[in-house]
Amino acid sequence: VALIAWALARKEKADVGKVVLMALTHDLGEARSNDHNWVHKRYVKVFSKEIIKEQLGGLPFGDLHALASEYEERRTKEAIIAKDADLLDEILLLREYEWQGNREAAKWLYEEKGKTRTNAQLAKLKLKSSKELGKAIYETEPSAWWDNLWTSKNR
């Protein structure tokens, strides 16, 4: 997530350090609340503000608490970039699972409407650069990055 956030922040001309730190700490609260799937989220309320305050509010410096709160509110460009990076990380994971033959992952990736198949997860992304990267993830085979790495040279 942090590396994706770094690239998006550069592309969006945002505060790279702030975005990367948000990306590194965005799931910190899940150490206390757990990472709930969509079924759990339907029935369980997570008290994110309280968790963030208890985890980070008592630190000698207030910047991490402020940063985590900013991420949760999703009002700043940096918070939106960090969230988009988190979503893109999930799309990458789902594509890998789909490529390995997991049909359940494909259900999360694509939405079938009649004869039309759409890339369902792209709609969750907010920024143009995020959508471009997401589209590339959908269109590229997960192992394509190493297609041209072969060399006959011994090093």
Side-chain angles (χ1 to χ4, degrees), residues 111-118:
E111 186 174 46
E112 305 279 342
K113 288 186 179 178
K115 293 185 179 185
T116 306
R117 185 178 184 193
T118 61

Side-chain angles (χ1 to χ4, degrees), residues 22-150:
M22 277 185 189
L24 285 169
T25 60
H26 79 282
D27 280 341
L28 195 59
E30 290 177 2
R32 294 189 182 184
S33 68
N34 206 349
D35 184 8
H36 296 281
N37 62 42
W38 290 105
V39 175
H40 294 146
K41 288 179 181 182
R42 184 178 175 126
Y43 304 104
V44 176
K45 174 157 176 41
V46 175
F47 298 90
S48 299
K49 288 182 181 180
E50 289 87 342
I51 292 171
I52 291 168
K53 185 177 179 186
E54 288 178 8
Q55 281 183 319
L56 306 172
L59 295 175
F61 306 104
D63 54 340
L64 274 181
H65 181 257
L67 200 70
S69 297
E70 181 179 331
Y71 174 77
E72 287 295 317
E73 292 169 3
R74 310 265 202 290
R75 291 189 190 138
T76 64
K77 186 179 201 175
E78 286 78 11
I80 293 167
I81 292 169
K83 181 59 181 176
D84 273 8
D86 186 34
L87 293 169
L88 286 164
D89 178 64
E90 185 64 28
I91 293 170
L92 280 167
L93 182 65
L94 287 169
R95 280 287 288 137
E96 287 183 39
Y97 289 163
E98 177 200 28
W99 193 250
Q100 294 167 0
N102 184 323
R103 290 183 295 175
E104 200 64 34
K107 287 180 184 178
W108 285 93
L109 281 168
Y110 306 102
E111 186 174 46
E112 305 279 342
K113 288 186 179 178
K115 293 185 179 185
T116 306
R117 185 178 184 193
T118 61
N119 299 342
Q121 300 299 318
L122 292 182
K124 296 177 183 178
L125 299 169
K126 303 291 184 209
L127 301 166
K128 182 181 176 188
S129 60
S130 303
K131 290 177 187 282
E132 289 170 357
L133 182 54
K135 190 172 185 248
I137 293 168
Y138 270 92
E139 294 171 354
T140 306
E141 294 177 4
S143 60
W145 66 271
W146 67 290
D147 285 347
N148 297 313
L149 288 180
W150 186 85

